[in-house]
Amino acid sequence: MFGNSFYPLKIGIFSSVGFFLFFLSAFGQGRETMTIAGTGEKGFSSGSPGAQSKLNNPYGITRGPEGSLYICDTENHVVQRLTATGMSPVAGNGKKGYAGDGGAATNASMNEPYEVRFDARGDMFVVERMNHLVRKIEMKTGIISTVAGTGAAGFGGDGGPATKGKFTQPHSIQFDSKGDLFICDIGNNRIRKLETRTGMLTTFLGNGKRTNDAGATPSWDNLTLNGPRAIDFDLEGNMWLALREGNVIWKINPTSKTVEHIAGTGKQGNSGDGGPAEEATLSGPKGIAVGPDGRVYFTDTESHSIRFITIKDHMMDRFAGTGEKGDGPDGDGFKCKLNRPHGIYVDQQGMVYVGDTENNRVRVIIKPATFPSFKPK
């Protein structure tokens, strides 16, 4: 759910960002972007201040229990922690592979970490797309272990231990209010569920088939998922699902077992801003985040933009990006070009963090009027 709402917010650890926000809240107009990690040059660096560091295709982003920002530095095969003092790996040794369970997470080999989340205990979970699994880092000890998947691609294991289950290129993970972990198993066109209390794996949604009838009213019992890429939960327990190849967004009610088609006609495009979301065209959405302001934000990856849906009336609009591939400039969010953004995270203050993937940057996007009382620490 948005901002991992049970964690204390500590924006002040990013002193430069704090000053930026204070300045904007007092003087700024419109929607503004700022790079907080990455120079734009592909590479790897540790210990450097965020904006002076180098990244290699950043994807998933979240805030941890202590307020730091955690970034999936995907093609460096590490998860980075960003604080006021700089960037440092918390998982992964930078070598592509699958090794290190039972030892320090920083000594482990990973293979394309795509998304990072924290559970209610404050432990970190990472999905590795090309290792076909999910791993856990116990933050008190720094020990890494596999909680779902065998490391081999495939499909199987429902009804048994998740560590014996098989996935194919899982992409997104998120916890529900009960603490169970949901996994977008994109290669199998399913959403799988890890019941954390028992460690058991089941299929939550999807019959394994992939079709393009994304604009139709879905049926729970015979649901086809065309590229289930990203999920998040709202405060009412609804799952919001972005279908990348389907170019739609659905709202799923696990209690009533209903699926509602919210956004996208099913055709690829970049139209419909300012109108009903259901009539808009999307272009490969790969990240989704429910905000505290009654909006669902998503990265419309192939249109190089951030768009949002208002939960109350299901209207669609653009939040940042021009629709054209490019790199900035920072400042006016509507004039800042992006390059295939993937990860997105919205904190309790409504600040929107974006993994601007092929620009090798992490950007924060804000609307100054949201923060009239903010002061940097």
Side-chain angles (χ1 to χ4, degrees):
M1 282 173 276
F2 71 82
N4 288 329
S5 57
F6 37 78
Y7 296 129
L9 185 66
K10 296 184 180 179
I11 293 178
I13 61 171
F14 304 113
S15 57
S16 60
V17 177
F19 177 78
F20 178 74
L21 296 178
F22 172 68
F23 175 81
L24 289 174
S25 66
F27 306 107
Q29 299 293 323
R31 195 164 292 140
E32 305 289 332
T33 68
M34 179 182 182
T35 296
I36 58 172
T39 63
E41 181 182 355
K42 184 180 292 187
F44 174 78
S45 57
S46 178
S48 302
Q52 298 175 27
S53 63
K54 294 180 181 179
L55 300 168
N56 191 346
N57 276 237
Y59 277 59
I61 311 166
T62 196
R63 190 185 292 282
E66 82 296 0
S68 300
L69 203 66
Y70 290 78
I71 303 163
C72 287
D73 195 357
T74 299
E75 293 194 13
N76 279 327
H77 310 291
V78 299
V79 178
Q80 303 260 29
R81 178 195 284 131
L82 177 61
T83 69
T85 58
M87 189 95 74
S88 59
V90 292
N93 58 17
K95 298 177 181 179
K96 182 167 64 174
Y98 175 36
D101 277 358
T106 49
N107 292 333
S109 296
M110 309 182 84
N111 196 347
E112 295 194 8
Y114 264 51
E115 194 158 65
V116 55
R117 305 286 193 182
F118 284 84
D119 68 7
R121 295 182 178 180
D123 291 326
M124 187 170 81
F125 289 71
V126 182
V127 59
E128 297 177 49
R129 181 182 174 215
M130 298 312 294
N131 272 338
H132 316 288
L133 48 73
V134 179
R135 294 165 97 177
K136 171 185 174 180
I137 294 87
E138 188 177 77
M139 297 303 282
K140 289 183 178 179
T141 64
I143 300 298
I144 191 169
S145 61
T146 297
V147 295
T150 65
F155 174 73
D158 279 355
T163 50
K164 294 184 178 181
K166 288 189 176 182
F167 303 83
T168 300
Q169 297 188 28
H171 188 278
S172 179
I173 54 176
Q174 183 57 293
F175 291 95
D176 68 1
S177 60
K178 297 178 181 178
D180 292 327
L181 185 66
F182 292 78
I183 305 161
C184 284
D185 189 3
I186 58 175
N188 289 313
N189 300 297
R190 291 175 165 91
I191 297 174
R192 316 283 288 281
K193 175 183 175 181
L194 166 59
E195 187 178 77
T196 54
R197 183 179 58 86
T198 63
M200 302 298 282
L201 179 69
T202 57
T203 289
F204 173 70
L205 273 180
N207 58 16
K209 297 179 182 179
R210 174 176 168 178
T211 64
N212 281 318
D213 59 350
T217 300
S219 166
W220 186 276
D221 294 327
N222 190 30
L223 191 67
T224 59
L225 300 180
N226 193 0
R229 289 296 177 111
I231 49 175
D232 200 8
F233 287 90
D234 63 26
L235 289 178
E236 295 180 353
N238 298 304
M239 174 189 286
W240 290 77
L241 168 65
L243 296 168
R244 192 262 185 229
E245 284 78 15
N247 291 302
V248 296
I249 291 173
W250 289 344
K251 183 173 76 170
I252 297 158
N253 187 320
T255 303
S256 62
K257 293 187 176 182
T258 55
V259 182
E260 185 178 0
H261 171 219
I262 299 294
T265 64
K267 296 181 179 180
Q268 184 169 350
N270 184 23
S271 66
D273 288 342
E278 193 172 7
E279 298 175 8
T281 57
L282 313 183
S283 192
K286 286 192 176 182
I288 195 164
V290 180
D293 54 0
R295 295 174 175 179
V296 177
Y297 297 83
F298 64 96
T299 56
D300 205 26
T301 302
E302 307 307 333
S303 75
H304 316 287
S305 58
I306 310 302
R307 303 169 81 182
F308 68 87
I309 305 159
T310 50
I311 293 177
K312 184 177 180 179
D313 57 12
H314 297 172
M315 298 294 283
M316 171 85 76
D317 215 336
R318 182 165 55 95
F319 190 69
T322 68
E324 298 178 356
K325 181 189 294 187
D327 186 4
D330 281 334
D332 186 338
F334 293 118
K335 296 180 180 179
C336 180
K337 293 182 179 180
L338 307 172
N339 192 346
R340 301 194 74 240
H342 283 69
I344 188 166
Y345 167 76
V346 187
D347 69 15
Q348 289 175 306
Q349 297 289 335
M351 292 164 53
V352 180
Y353 298 86
V354 174
D356 191 358
T357 304
E358 294 192 5
N359 281 328
N360 303 298
R361 300 180 189 270
V362 173
R363 286 186 155 102
V364 61
I365 309 167
I366 68 160
K367 188 174 182 180
T370 308
F371 311 102
S373 62
F374 179 79
K375 298 292 187 297
K377 295 180 181 179

